[in-house]
Amino acid sequence: MIRRSLYFLLVFSLFPPLSQASAAVSSDGSSTGLLEQPLPPALSSDDFSLPIFDGSEQADMPLQAILDAYHAGRYHEAVDSAKRLQEERGGGPEMLQFLLGDLYAALAQTEGEPALRSAIAAFRKAAIANPGSENAVRAYWRMGQIYGQLKLYTESIGSFTRVMKRHPESVFVLPARLGIARTYRAARQWENASVAYETVRRLPLSLTDLDAVLFEQADVMYHMDNFNRAYDNYILGEKGRPGYWGQDPMALFQFSESAYRTGRYGQARELYMAFHNVYVHKLGDVEARALALSRIGDTWRAEGRAEAAEKAYVLASWANKGVPGAKGSKLLALNGLLAAKYCPKDAKRCQPENIQLVWRNAPTVKDTVERLETLRNMGKIGRILLKEASLSPVVQDAIFGASKVLQRYGVYEEALELANGLARRFSQEARPFSSSFRNEVVAYIHRATEEAVSKWTEQKDYGKPIWLYASYPASFTPTMLTESVGMSVAESYYQTGLFRQALDIYEPIAVSVGNLFSEKALSRTGEVLVRLEDYAEAESRMDEFLVRYPTSSLAPVVLSNLAKMYHSQGEIKKAIEGYGKWIELYPENPDMKRMSLLLAKAYQQSEQYGEEVAVYLRLIDQFKEEAPAFRFLAADAYYNSSDFKKAIEYYTQALEGGGGGREIGRLKFQLANSYQALAQIEEGRAILATLAQNADDPLMRRVAAEKAHIAK
């Protein structure tokens, strides 16, 4: 074994360290010039498994015994012997000091974290005691590896970087760079890992390291959704190490997935089948088997083979039955089954606007029920998966695919719940999602949100936009909230009486003069402020609207609201001015009659009976079919102004024209009162006597009888 370790001494004598001039260090700690002074290709990172010997250890029998115990896997014995030897020799030779760190690292196979921490302490102590030794450089490299095992990734990167910065000429620079790449990969910091592996790929790796790097980089590319690069790496890696799949079957699945995601459906199907038939059966992984079957179905469906796809999805469903954890494969199978069975050829049939037609044309009621059940299951499984600690790219794709299927079927609440659940994971986890996938999900959420809010408001289902905005505010970009989506959410709040929330959305739109929706928003702002009883602000906004948009189709509504607000607040003069202006500006408006009656009411409240009568006379001319009713109102105005002669005239005309309606009793009673006010007692008493006998209202009969008796 000592002979094997002496290999390193030979290597260093044949290949001296890089010159400092050719290996400058950049500001980020990365070294340059390494390509010009390559390491010998035969030297791999695996060859640094033990400290560097100086040759004197060959005749050191106690040290040889420690190494024999180490290579035989008797790590406890090796550690104990090394510690005793150190005590006997007052610290021992340099090689022994560093060797203790490696022995503790090996002991961690059974002792776990405590042994790893002891290894770090031993390496650090040895490096401090022997600062100029090449073994000290190696110690920091080994500490970087062990920190990575402890998931102390920052410390791991720090140790590797120390090697590169402080010892740019060392042979351990290349392994340190590789260690940085592997640490970023272990930490799931995919973008940093990608950059690190690109650097490593440009270095003179041994064939062993190169093969490993190809597969490791492929894994990074896969998790970044860069499936083309992942595919290329897997192809190259397989050439160098064709039996690799046996030691890492999931790499074969990722190779299959990369082929599928890059449109190589036939090849992907063969790879999935190999994964399913050979490796999965060996592993006994039911979830992986079902995932492979689901993906086989996806490849058939991508090629338009709906029947073959459906069979694969059914097999996938059977494979994961009774397996509690097989949620990802179940969701993939349901996604595919729904698409293959109900939208086999024309994807447009699955669009929301056609969905009722598709369901109506389902072969049987059972098919429709099954479809509904499938959609419900998709939402349920997706929510369960979102609670898992980690989501693989396939599971991410399954959840995202389920959301899109649900959206196509118009099940927007479920669709957006799943998509927003994915988006929330972006901020909750330490960069486990690729930026391209993140961008795709976020863009989809915005599109689906716009579509859903539009459909819901069109159906006057105002509670759902409110739910979505309250539950997932990130679904709405600032731009969306200043456009039709924002207006729909604000309108939903308005229609449900949540005026303060409506105002919060209307106001930013209203103040933006160039905004297409500012006109509607400003008009609504005035209405909302009236509902909130902030009359001064309401008046200001409505006045602003009438100045900014005098010819708007909404101007009559705003002016009407302004006048009615004055009226309700007892500002009768302003109300009269507002109503009068409205009638002057919009004589052909369908609301002319209503506004005229409001004006007449305001005149009555201010005891301007002549002006009130004038309004009714105009209405009599404009709406002849309703003239008797307006004559009745005019008669009341004459009566209130004590012009009893005119009152009698108009009460009589109203009575003859059939006016009064349900108030016919009151009309006759007022006519009698008018006669009596003019001292025409008999005419008045006769009408009262008739009312006392025939009035529908018992109270009216009694009052009329009493007044008739008094008139005698």
Side-chain angles (χ1 to χ4, degrees):
M1 296 304 172
I2 287 192
R3 283 180 190 160
R4 181 177 182 279
S5 300
L6 285 173
Y7 170 76
F8 299 106
L9 184 61
L10 178 61
V11 166
F12 292 131
S13 65
L14 293 175
F15 299 94
L18 304 177
S19 67
Q20 189 166 358
S22 66
V25 181
S26 68
S27 59
D28 65 353
S30 60
S31 60
T32 60
L34 294 177
L35 289 178
E36 290 74 14
Q37 299 286 338
L39 287 173
L43 188 62
S44 76
S45 57
D46 292 338
D47 293 323
F48 297 110
S49 58
L50 287 174
I52 301 165
F53 287 32
D54 62 9
S56 63
E57 298 87 351
Q58 195 166 11
D60 192 333
M61 298 310 294
L63 182 57
Q64 180 64 63
I66 293 171
L67 289 170
D68 288 343
Y70 166 79
H71 289 300
R74 302 192 306 273
Y75 303 125
H76 268 293
E77 177 186 332
V79 168
D80 291 342
S81 298
K83 290 167 69 176
R84 281 196 305 272
L85 189 58
Q86 277 191 328
E87 290 175 4
E88 293 171 3
R89 299 184 179 182
E94 173 189 323
M95 188 272 182
L96 180 61
Q97 295 175 42
F98 288 104
L99 178 62
L100 184 59
D102 289 298
L103 298 179
Y104 273 122
L107 184 61
Q109 295 177 31
T110 56
E111 299 298 314
E113 182 177 328
L116 290 175
R117 293 190 178 277
S118 295
I120 289 174
F123 279 127
R124 183 180 289 112
K125 182 178 179 181
I128 292 171
N130 305 277
S133 167
E134 188 71 9
N135 273 325
V137 183
R138 177 186 175 277
Y140 285 109
W141 168 65
R142 289 289 283 128
M143 287 165 65
Q145 290 181 316
I146 295 168
Y147 278 129
Q149 288 178 262
L150 291 168
K151 298 185 178 179
L152 298 172
Y153 300 122
T154 301
E155 291 84 347
S156 175
I157 297 294
S159 288
F160 290 133
T161 303
R162 177 179 179 137
V163 171
M164 294 189 303
K165 279 191 172 183
R166 298 192 181 185
H167 309 280
E169 300 177 0
S170 171
V171 72
F172 291 101
V173 167
L174 189 153
R177 285 196 177 279
L178 183 54
I180 286 175
R182 286 171 171 167
T183 300
Y184 279 133
R185 176 175 171 241
R188 300 174 68 81
Q189 296 185 26
W190 305 119
E191 293 189 10
N192 287 337
S194 173
V195 173
Y197 275 110
E198 283 297 319
T199 300
V200 171
R201 281 284 299 274
R202 293 195 295 269
L203 300 178
L205 301 170
S206 70
L207 292 178
T208 302
D209 280 344
L210 177 60
D211 290 340
V213 165
L214 285 170
F215 285 109
E216 291 166 15
Q217 188 182 31
D219 177 64
V220 172
M221 295 294 103
Y222 173 81
H223 282 91
M224 292 182 70
D225 291 350
N226 190 342
F227 298 110
N228 276 307
R229 283 292 305 278
Y231 176 85
D232 291 343
N233 269 36
Y234 282 126
I235 289 289
L236 290 172
E238 185 184 28
K239 289 179 180 178
R241 199 182 295 183
Y244 181 79
W245 314 121
Q247 70 184 64
D248 187 4
M250 286 312 295
L252 177 57
F253 181 85
Q254 292 185 185
F255 183 22
S256 311
E257 188 75 4
S258 299
Y260 170 72
R261 300 287 191 100
T262 53
R264 299 172 170 92
Y265 302 122
Q267 183 185 13
R269 186 162 51 248
E270 291 178 6
L271 291 170
Y272 284 127
M273 286 178 176
F275 175 76
H276 173 270
N277 295 337
V278 181
Y279 297 106
V280 174
H281 282 294
K282 288 182 179 178
L283 293 171
D285 188 337
V286 178
E287 166 78 345
R289 182 184 309 150
L291 282 173
L293 287 168
S294 294
R295 278 307 198 209
I296 289 169
D298 288 341
T299 64
W300 285 123
R301 183 160 58 89
E303 293 177 344
R305 300 281 300 278
E307 290 185 10
E310 187 177 342
K311 290 177 182 177
Y313 294 132
V314 170
L315 286 173
S317 299
W318 288 347
N320 59 34
K321 273 190 176 179
V323 183
K327 302 298 182 186
S329 60
K330 286 180 182 177
L331 193 56
L332 268 183
L334 289 173
N335 291 352
L337 192 60
L338 194 66
K341 190 170 184 179
Y342 299 110
C343 310
K345 295 178 181 178
D346 185 3
K348 291 181 180 179
R349 294 179 64 207
C350 286
Q351 295 303 314
E353 57 268 23
N354 297 327
I355 218 62
Q356 295 302 324
L357 178 63
V358 174
W359 286 13
R360 207 164 38 241
N361 294 340
T364 64
V365 173
K366 180 175 178 289
D367 281 344
T368 302
V369 172
E370 284 180 355
R371 189 175 310 157
L372 289 168
E373 187 63 27
T374 299
L375 291 168
R376 280 194 289 269
N377 285 340
M378 287 168 65
K380 179 181 177 182
I381 294 171
R383 287 191 295 274
I384 293 172
L385 284 171
L386 284 170
K387 295 177 182 178
E388 292 191 354
S390 180
L391 301 179
S392 70
V394 178
V395 173
Q396 295 171 28
D397 187 52
I399 295 171
F400 190 31
S403 176
K404 289 187 283 189
V405 169
L406 289 163
Q407 177 249 343
R408 285 199 296 270
Y409 275 92
V411 189
Y412 296 112
E413 302 100 302
E414 297 272 10
L416 287 164
E417 191 173 353
L418 295 186
N420 277 287
L422 269 180
R424 282 183 173 177
R425 294 292 291 267
F426 301 154
S427 59
Q428 292 172 353
E429 299 186 18
R431 286 172 283 188
F433 296 91
S434 74
S435 57
S436 59
F437 179 71
R438 182 189 304 114
N439 294 339
E440 184 182 0
V441 170
V442 170
Y444 161 77
I445 288 172
H446 295 158
R447 291 195 306 273
T449 295
E450 188 169 358
E451 181 181 305
V453 170
S454 174
K455 292 288 183 183
W456 289 334
T457 51
E458 184 182 311
Q459 297 163 1
K460 298 185 178 180
D461 194 350
Y462 298 118
K464 288 178 180 176
I466 293 173
W467 160 79
L468 182 60
Y469 185 64
S471 302
Y472 305 106
S475 297
F476 301 80
T477 65
T479 300
M480 289 169 66
L481 289 173
T482 62
E483 296 177 344
S484 60
V485 174
M487 289 295 293
S488 294
V489 175
E491 189 68 13
S492 298
Y493 278 124
Y494 177 85
Q495 294 294 340
T496 52
L498 297 169
F499 301 117
R500 178 60 61 187
Q501 292 88 334
L503 185 64
D504 289 342
I505 301 176
Y506 279 133
E507 280 196 313
I509 304 174
V511 298
S512 178
V513 179
N515 191 309
L516 180 65
F517 301 95
S518 63
E519 182 179 328
K520 173 70 173 176
L522 185 56
S523 71
R524 273 292 197 229
T525 299
E527 294 178 44
V528 169
L529 287 165
V530 170
R531 299 295 189 100
L532 293 171
E533 299 183 359
D534 190 348
Y535 301 112
E537 278 297 316
E539 179 181 8
S540 173
R541 302 303 171 80
M542 288 189 276
D543 282 338
E544 180 185 353
F545 181 93
L546 295 170
V547 171
R548 275 168 56 178
Y549 308 107
T551 60
S552 168
S553 60
L554 296 173
V557 176
V558 174
L559 182 54
S560 167
N561 289 338
L562 181 60
K564 286 188 286 185
M565 184 191 75
Y566 288 139
H567 201 160
S568 67
Q569 293 304 297
E571 297 186 59
I572 304 302
K573 183 178 179 181
K574 286 186 175 181
I576 289 172
E577 290 174 358
Y579 292 137
K581 184 177 180 180
W582 192 98
I583 291 169
E584 178 186 347
L585 291 173
Y586 313 114
E588 303 300 323
N589 193 289
D591 273 350
M592 172 59 71
K593 179 171 61 177
R594 184 175 63 87
M595 294 301 293
S596 296
L597 290 172
L598 287 171
L599 175 60
K601 183 70 174 176
Y603 278 132
Q604 181 192 92
Q605 289 174 317
S606 61
E607 298 183 356
Q608 299 181 56
Y609 301 118
E611 287 79 359
E612 181 188 3
V613 167
V615 173
Y616 295 136
L617 294 180
R618 287 197 299 272
L619 289 173
I620 289 170
D621 289 337
Q622 289 177 301
F623 303 96
K624 298 189 182 301
E625 69 283 358
E626 298 180 59
F630 294 134
R631 287 194 172 94
F632 184 8
L633 294 171
D636 280 341
Y638 280 126
Y639 183 90
N640 290 332
S641 66
S642 300
D643 189 346
F644 301 114
K645 184 176 180 181
K646 279 288 187 181
I648 290 170
E649 177 185 344
Y650 276 83
Y651 281 134
T652 301
Q653 290 177 1
L655 190 60
E656 291 172 350
R662 294 181 180 179
E663 291 194 283
I664 187 69
R666 190 180 73 79
L667 188 159
K668 292 179 179 180
F669 188 77
Q670 286 293 85
L671 179 58
N673 288 338
S674 299
Y675 277 122
Q676 289 189 335
L678 292 174
Q680 298 180 32
I681 305 301
E682 284 303 315
E683 288 85 345
R685 192 186 67 76
I687 295 171
L688 290 170
T690 302
L691 280 174
Q693 293 294 321
N694 301 325
D696 293 333
D697 185 355
L699 180 60
M700 176 63 73
R701 289 199 299 271
R702 189 174 67 193
V703 172
E706 290 174 356
K707 288 204 73 170
H709 179 73
I710 293 170
K712 290 181 180 179

